[in-house]
Amino acid sequence: MTENVVPLFKDPTQEQPAPAPVPLTVVTDKTEPARPVRVFVRGRRAVVGAVKHKRTRTVARVTVRHGAYLLGGTRITARRAWDGRTGARYQRMMRAAEAGGNHEAAGEWEERLHRFRSERHKRRMDLLKAPQDMAKSAAYGAATGIGALIAVGIALAVATKDPADVFTPLMALVELIRLLVVFVGVVWGPLVAVGPWLAVAGLWAVGRHQAAAPQWALPATARTSDAGAPITPSIVVTAMRDLGIPALRKAIKEMGDSGAAMLGPIRIAGCGVEVDVTLPSGVSTNEVQGRRKKLAENLSRHEHEVFITIPEAARTVRLWIADSGALDQPIGPSPLVTDETMTADYAKGRAPWGQDLRGDAATLSLYQRHMLITGLSNQGKTASLRALALWLALDRRVEFRIADLKGVGDWGMFDGIATVLIQGPTDDHVIDATEMVEGLVEEMEHRIQAPPGTKFAPLIGIVDEAQVAFMCPAVGDDKRPYGGSKATSRYFMAVRKIHNQGRAVDVLLWEGTQDPTDQNLPKLVREGAHTRASLVLGTESQARMALGDKAIDGGAAPHLLRQGMDKGTVVVASDGIKIPAGQASITVRTHFIDDTAAAQIADRARALRDGVTTLTAVADDEEERDALADIATAIGDEPKMLTQDVLKRLAALAPAAYNAWTNGDLKRVLEDAGEEPKKSHGRMVVHRDHVHRALANRDADGSASAI
């Protein structure tokens, strides 16, 4: 089998075939000359293919990697040698301290540099005297050594009785010197030849140990991803340097390897770490706060995994950096669910609400604090607010009046706990909710007018989806609107009155609202709350409405939480929760209590109470009241009830009619019906059977109990 082989060299003796005739091409004005486009394209593709070939890329990576190892090792070794022989290290530390504004540390490093230079000067002066001292020492040593050898030789000669042995030890020393010279002569040549290569290998090893090569050139096993990497001082300093703040970048460059001087200790804090960064002069904390997203990316984290707050120290920002993915893991169940023996104390207790970012329990004091919680729809607002109410319900002294203007049953488990429970989104429900809040105002005014020192049971009013009330267009018979944010609005004015004076007599209002604006959450209302919490919001302006300017300027950022992924995570501004010193807010991941668990907790709270009758609407205070029938309603299923408790329930049933009632009024109505209160264990009580007997026996046409 033969092949057509193209010879590499021409044989001059061999005749070459005549070239084939080239056809002529006639080029006219309308015809462009032929161009070697196809050949050019094929050649370019061949070059590109060769460059992109896997083997070519592997060879390039190996070459760059080992070359970078050598160059990096040389640079590192030279830097170490320079630092050891000069004051460069002290100068870097001094510049870093000056750039960080720490003049005390700068002075200390300057003093160390002065000591280093003084000691170096002393060593150099000692070196100038060293040759003279060495010559004297060598002469003394040689004389002493020769004398000792001759003494040994004399002793040897005496022992052997041969005078020639006097010089035997001295000649043995001379022979040893000769052998050493021969050995050095043999080894020196190979050592000179191999020495430079050993030095190169040493520099290469230093570079390899420090991974002084680009990431793309490193082998796959040594290539590391920064995503989720542990936070180290060098990573933080590099992230701060690359924030895009010129003054900060310049200062860190001047610090050199001493940039970590601007950092405090990196502390383990829950599911992340915390570090304080002292900013150089000319860099404000606001500039760093405004670049949270870029800082997170520089730290190989998501934006929601980095929190920036302002501690007490001047020119300092506190960074909390979560472990990668840690905030996506759920927290444990609420202690309300796991501990069936848990009780509550309104005045001294703290509600178990969730965990802070450190992983510590976040507890909230509810004592004499109005509350406002906001957030976008379906982010856990009702569940977060309800968890606090469920805990407080375990204190049997606390009375609840609740208006749920969503009306889907989220608060249904409070039937039998709350004295008023309104559920529904219509204008009629808003009217009932408004009258409920106005009832709180009447109770508050009654308590304020009571004698000094009078103790009152806590009264908590809750309005969930309060934006429905503010936006309600309904107008009453007195031409006053129920909704709105003006002085004519009945709901708005009732809320303002409670905010102004309610806490002093333990009449409190909690409101939950979504998507806050000036229309559905007026400024005077939101600023009247002592505890303000916010779930995820859409904009910074909404966050400022929810928490206030101070909290947002201090680093609070509910608008940066992730909608749908950070359900139940609230940013809280309140003196009722433990907040790190210098911060204006704290982020809490609240425990989620589902409806089933909430119903079980409500059953425990209901068992602590004496059969509360829950009203689904506030009665019209202007209608004629049947006092004896209302007393029977207030007692409910209880066999007997203290007269003071009966008065409280009557006031909740019809505030306008019964707020001013005293024990004398109650006694008068019962005496007229022939059933006056009796004593039980030294305290006045009203018996249910006696009231029902009076109702059965009374003459309906002339009842003295009608008012």
Side-chain angles (χ1 to χ4, degrees), residues 186-524:
V186 173
V187 174
W188 182 254
L191 187 62
V192 170
V194 176
W197 297 104
L198 292 177
V200 169
L203 296 175
W204 175 88
V206 171
R208 181 176 179 273
H209 180 71
Q210 297 293 329
Q215 279 286 320
W216 62 267
L218 292 175
T221 55
R223 231 172 284 162
T224 58
S225 173
D226 292 337
I231 299 299
T232 62
S234 62
I235 289 176
V236 177
V237 172
T238 303
M240 297 295 292
R241 182 197 66 193
D242 297 338
L243 272 184
I245 304 175
L248 181 60
R249 183 179 185 87
K250 180 180 178 182
I252 293 177
K253 277 190 172 182
E254 290 177 353
M255 294 180 188
D257 293 342
S258 306
M262 65 191 294
L263 305 181
I266 297 179
R267 304 175 294 272
I268 299 295
C271 56
V273 296
E274 187 178 73
V275 59
D276 286 351
V277 182
T278 302
L279 302 176
S281 178
V283 182
S284 69
T285 55
N286 290 338
E287 290 179 288
V288 177
Q289 281 185 304
R291 289 170 168 80
R292 174 183 169 187
K293 183 175 182 179
K294 189 169 187 177
L295 178 61
E297 292 174 348
N298 291 348
L299 293 168
S300 299
R301 295 294 191 272
H302 296 293
E303 184 178 8
H304 71 276
E305 295 176 330
V306 175
F307 289 82
I308 306 173
T309 53
I310 310 299
E312 291 180 336
R315 289 192 297 108
T316 302
V317 293
R318 177 167 294 163
L319 307 181
W320 185 86
I321 307 159
D323 297 336
S324 185
L327 295 183
D328 296 329
Q329 303 299 320
I331 63 174
S334 170
L336 286 171
V337 178
T338 58
D339 185 2
E340 295 185 358
T341 63
M342 176 173 285
T343 58
D345 188 334
Y346 162 75
K348 300 178 181 179
R350 304 177 74 90
W353 207 12
Q355 293 180 0
D356 62 17
L357 295 179
R358 291 171 168 268
D360 299 330
T363 57
L364 180 66
S365 172
L366 304 174
Y367 179 64
Q368 293 188 342
R369 290 179 176 88
H370 302 300
M371 176 177 289
L372 172 66
I373 182 168
T374 63
L376 297 181
S377 177
N378 195 32
Q379 298 304 306
K381 170 177 52 61
T382 297
S384 300
L385 185 62
R386 190 178 67 183
L388 298 175
L390 285 170
W391 174 80
L392 195 56
L394 296 176
D395 185 341
R396 66 186 305 272
R397 301 169 300 170
V398 179
E399 178 187 350
F400 290 95
R401 300 182 189 179
I402 301 173
D404 174 16
L405 298 182
K406 185 189 299 180
V408 295
D410 289 338
W411 294 86
M413 68 286 301
F414 278 81
D415 189 4
I417 298 175
T419 54
V420 177
L421 179 58
I422 299 165
Q423 301 183 88
T426 67
D427 289 349
D428 290 338
H429 292 101
V430 172
I431 292 172
D432 288 337
T434 302
E435 292 175 349
M436 182 194 80
V437 178
E438 290 174 339
L440 295 175
V441 174
E442 293 175 2
E443 172 65 17
M444 174 190 73
E445 292 172 345
H446 169 67
R447 294 184 178 191
I448 292 174
Q449 296 171 12
T454 305
K455 299 295 183 181
F456 300 100
L459 175 56
I460 309 296
I462 301 175
V463 181
D464 196 8
E465 305 296 342
Q467 77 279 357
V468 177
F470 284 111
M471 301 297 290
C472 179
V475 178
D477 295 335
D478 56 358
K479 306 302 181 183
R480 292 180 59 196
Y482 286 92
S485 58
K486 296 182 179 180
T488 56
S489 168
R490 291 178 60 176
Y491 181 81
F492 171 75
M493 290 306 298
V495 171
R496 288 293 301 137
K497 289 178 181 179
I498 295 174
H499 280 177
N500 289 338
Q501 296 177 295
R503 68 177 297 272
V505 289
D506 288 320
V507 176
L508 305 177
L509 183 63
W510 297 358
E511 289 183 288
T513 183
Q514 60 177 262
D515 200 13
T517 65
D518 284 326
Q519 289 71 37
N520 63 28
L521 187 60
K523 180 178 180 181
L524 292 178

Side-chain angles (χ1 to χ4, degrees), residues 20 106 143 152 217 264 327 458 487 504 526 540 627 640 665 682:
V152 172
L327 295 183
R526 60 184 185 247
E540 181 178 338
K640 59 185 177 181
D665 297 315

Side-chain angles (χ1 to χ4, degrees), residues 10-18:
K10 294 181 180 180
D11 187 354
T13 61
Q14 185 178 357
E15 292 186 3
Q16 301 297 325

